[in-house]
Amino acid sequence: MTTIKGVLFDFSGTLLRIESPESWLRAALTATGTEMAEAEIALRAAELDRAGALPGGTSPAQLPAELAARWEIRDRDARHHRAVYTGLARQVPLPRPELYDVLYDRHMTAEAWHPYPDAAEVLAELHRRGLRIGVLSNIGWDLRPVLRAHGLDRHLDSCVLSYEHGVQKPDPRLFALACRELGLPPSAVLMVGDDRRADGGATALGCAFLPVDHLPVDLRPDGLRPVLDVVG
């Protein structure tokens, strides 16, 4: 068995979790000076959640036909990503048209993301043990400032983002690129992620795979610690 010498982490639902739909909506309302009754905030937030409008949140309960094709390739291009998610949000009536873009912009801020409680500790320990560490994410925007703001970048050796390469997980080409960025063969790399299909696709290339549960941060205090046992 090949010794694991490097670990690739997914971003959303693995190292960090996006804020709740209600917190997301409240931030956009505050940013635009928009007032809304408490009952309506709760209602619209729930509708946005069902629409799948919050990137990193739940998937759409029903995907509008006009967005179906772009949904499948949303993480390959920044323009597709914005168009898809603002399009999903527009399924929900909001009092100001600018709110849809403000909501999208909000989800790219550090304040919208919360690291899992053990994320910093696990990254630091892997670094101490001499492993190579990278982030590999299906995403339509640059998450590096978010990692930096939360102090999670200091132990990273690489960051591979799907939209920068026009290819997304589970395409083996993206995993191959991420392994090259670590300077390691796939057989020496462990992929850690919450999506069994997308992240688990690493096994087709020969990487090991460790799944984690996409849970709120307060319900997953030590979901990343098994990584330390796997790498030994």
Side-chain angles (χ1 to χ4, degrees):
M1 180 177 177
T2 304
T3 301
I4 298 297
K5 297 180 180 179
V7 184
L8 291 169
F9 289 92
D10 176 49
F11 173 73
S12 174
T14 301
L15 289 177
L16 299 96
R17 167 86 180 212
I18 192 66
E19 65 186 332
S20 70
E22 187 168 321
S23 171
W24 177 54
L25 177 56
R26 286 183 183 277
L29 293 172
T30 298
T32 56
T34 304
E35 294 187 3
M36 188 182 284
E38 286 296 311
E40 188 177 3
I41 291 175
L43 174 64
R44 298 308 181 196
E47 291 176 344
L48 287 165
D49 188 37
R50 284 194 297 273
L54 175 57
T58 57
S59 296
Q62 185 174 358
L63 192 62
E66 67 272 17
L67 295 177
R70 278 188 171 181
W71 172 260
E72 295 301 322
I73 59 170
R74 66 192 183 280
D75 294 318
R76 298 183 196 174
D77 182 274
R79 292 169 299 173
H80 286 327
H81 197 269
R82 178 180 282 272
V84 165
Y85 283 104
T86 55
L88 291 170
R90 287 190 177 94
Q91 308 301 305
V92 178
L94 295 175
R96 288 185 166 184
E98 63 266 32
L99 277 166
Y100 302 106
D101 280 312
V102 173
L103 282 169
Y104 184 84
D105 292 339
R106 163 70 185 183
H107 103 275
M108 296 187 288
T109 66
E111 293 77 17
W113 293 90
H114 306 286
Y116 282 96
D118 57 347
E121 172 192 339
V122 169
L123 292 178
E125 177 60 19
L126 290 172
H127 178 76
R128 188 192 69 79
R129 295 186 189 183
L131 277 81
R132 301 279 292 172
I133 309 167
V135 165
L136 173 57
S137 177
N138 278 355
I139 200 162
W141 51 276
D142 187 1
L143 56 77
R144 295 176 185 88
V146 174
L147 293 171
R148 190 159 50 246
H150 289 290
L152 298 181
D153 66 321
R154 66 190 66 180
H155 299 310
L156 296 180
D157 298 296
S158 69
C159 191
V160 175
L161 311 180
S162 61
Y163 85 100
E164 293 182 337
H165 302 283
V167 61
Q168 62 193 53
K169 297 177 288 186
D171 193 312
R173 291 176 295 173
L174 198 62
F175 294 111
L177 173 62
C179 289
R180 288 197 298 272
E181 288 288 314
L182 291 183
L184 296 170
S187 59
V189 175
L190 170 68
M191 178 73 211
V192 182
D194 66 299
D195 189 322
R196 269 73 170 171
R197 176 180 174 273
D199 300 314
T203 59
L205 197 68
C207 298
F209 173 57
L210 178 68
V212 295
D213 294 323
H214 190 148
L215 295 171
V217 292
D218 58 334
L219 298 181
R220 210 194 79 191
D222 54 6
L224 291 171
R225 289 200 176 93
V227 173
L228 302 179
D229 297 326
V230 172
V231 302

